[in-house]
Amino acid sequence: MRTVTALVAGLVAVVVAIVTVPMFWVSTHVVDEDGYVAFSSSLATDDDLQAAVATYLADDFVQRGLVPAPLQDTAAGVLTSVAQAAANQPGFVAAWDETQRSLHRSAFGDGSGPLTVRLQPLGRFVADRAGERLPVSLDVSTDLEAPVGTAADRSRLQQLERAQTYSLLGLMIVLAGAALCLVVARRRTLAVAGLGVGALVVAGVLRVATEIVAPQAVDRAEGLSPFAQQVQKLLVERAADSLSAWLEQIALVGAVALVAGLLGRIVAGFRRSGAAS
């Protein structure tokens, strides 16, 4: 009976962990505003994203009559060059972080409609430095917003707001299951090894799921503007990379537990053999 109880407790811990780990990542990297801004900050230095922002700004300048249509490609090229040159300046990343705060508030605020990001801080930073290289004066509208997702995307994100509560509950279940497995197991060394295998299973299952889900999420970005597609693509890719780093740590802990448990079992076997002789 003890063996069955330990096995069931270990299985419950593993199954719940498969759900809890990504939920914890979501609560710290998506739902939490500061966590999201820190996570998305690395996107500011991506060349493709900078080009997408510059193209969007140039299109806005043309639509508002600030840049003649024949100069749109030239303006986009200049803005892209300036953005790439200024990417390592503190002001550039700070401006990007402000745009990401606006995106987070658009996603988790009380608004409705498509997800939007306020480009004014980043646009002004780039436009101020590009003005001397263009034969026109650039003025970034204070209400410049770019759509980066649909209303359905907003609804899906808002469903994640309780991720922290669920992840904490899941963590308690995982810890309780692992503790019960160790307490009731007839051979704790095998229980430790079994939990190590469970951790490896969690890391493996989630790694496979990440490799499948991430490309599908990128594919769903079709139909949006090039800028929106680029933002979603990069966010999904960075999310997969970030979660994979967590999974590597879980796998490492699992491997250590597996080896420790097996070594403990071998040592216990030698002790029993020595005692018998």
Side-chain angles (χ1 to χ4, degrees):
M1 184 64 181
R2 290 176 58 185
T3 301
V4 173
T5 301
L7 179 60
V8 171
L11 288 175
V12 169
V14 170
V15 172
V16 175
I18 291 175
V19 178
T20 300
V21 171
M23 201 170 293
F24 246 120
W25 186 92
V26 167
S27 69
T28 56
H29 289 71
V30 177
V31 178
D32 179 76
E33 182 176 314
D34 291 334
Y36 171 74
V37 172
F39 157 65
S40 63
S41 183
S42 62
L43 273 63
T45 56
D46 184 89
D47 290 343
D48 292 336
L49 180 65
Q50 292 165 1
V53 171
T55 300
Y56 189 91
L57 290 174
D59 181 63
D60 174 72
F61 293 146
V62 170
Q63 290 183 10
R64 291 192 291 124
L66 299 178
V67 173
L71 289 179
Q72 180 170 355
D73 290 341
T74 301
V78 171
L79 291 169
T80 300
S81 176
V82 170
Q84 292 172 347
N88 295 323
Q89 297 180 15
F92 184 88
V93 176
W96 171 256
D97 288 349
E98 189 174 344
T99 69
Q100 291 307 290
R101 287 192 185 278
S102 75
L103 174 57
H104 190 277
R105 290 164 186 170
S106 173
F108 294 100
D110 297 330
S112 59
L115 286 173
T116 60
V117 59
R118 184 169 172 263
L119 288 180
Q120 188 269 344
L122 189 62
R124 176 171 292 176
F125 183 92
V126 175
D128 287 347
R129 287 155 180 78
E132 297 179 356
R133 299 171 57 179
L134 290 171
V136 293
S137 177
L138 300 179
D139 175 39
V140 178
S141 172
T142 57
D143 58 353
L144 178 60
E145 291 186 343
V148 292
T150 64
D153 293 330
R154 177 196 293 276
S155 298
R156 282 192 289 267
L157 284 172
Q158 289 180 341
Q159 292 174 3
L160 302 176
E161 287 187 293
R162 304 185 70 177
Q164 184 175 22
T165 299
Y166 292 139
S167 61
L168 291 174
L169 177 60
L171 178 61
M172 289 189 290
I173 295 175
V174 170
L175 293 177
L180 180 61
C181 177
L182 291 173
V183 169
V184 304
R186 291 184 181 278
R187 296 180 176 85
R188 290 184 179 174
T189 52
L190 289 181
V192 171
L195 291 174
V197 171
L200 291 172
V201 169
V202 170
V205 169
L206 290 177
R207 184 60 181 266
V208 172
T210 298
E211 292 178 352
I212 294 174
V213 172
Q216 290 179 344
V218 173
D219 291 339
R220 286 199 298 269
E222 295 181 354
L224 296 172
S225 68
F227 173 70
Q229 290 180 18
Q230 193 63 34
V231 171
Q232 288 200 12
K233 177 177 180 291
L234 288 172
L235 283 174
V236 170
E237 289 178 353
R238 294 295 193 276
D241 292 342
S242 177
L243 183 57
S244 292
W246 282 28
L247 299 181
E248 290 174 1
Q249 296 300 316
I250 293 173
L252 178 61
V253 171
V256 170
L258 174 59
V259 172
L262 292 177
L263 288 177
R265 181 62 183 160
I266 293 172
V267 170
F270 281 140
R271 288 178 177 175
R272 283 197 296 270
S273 297
S277 62

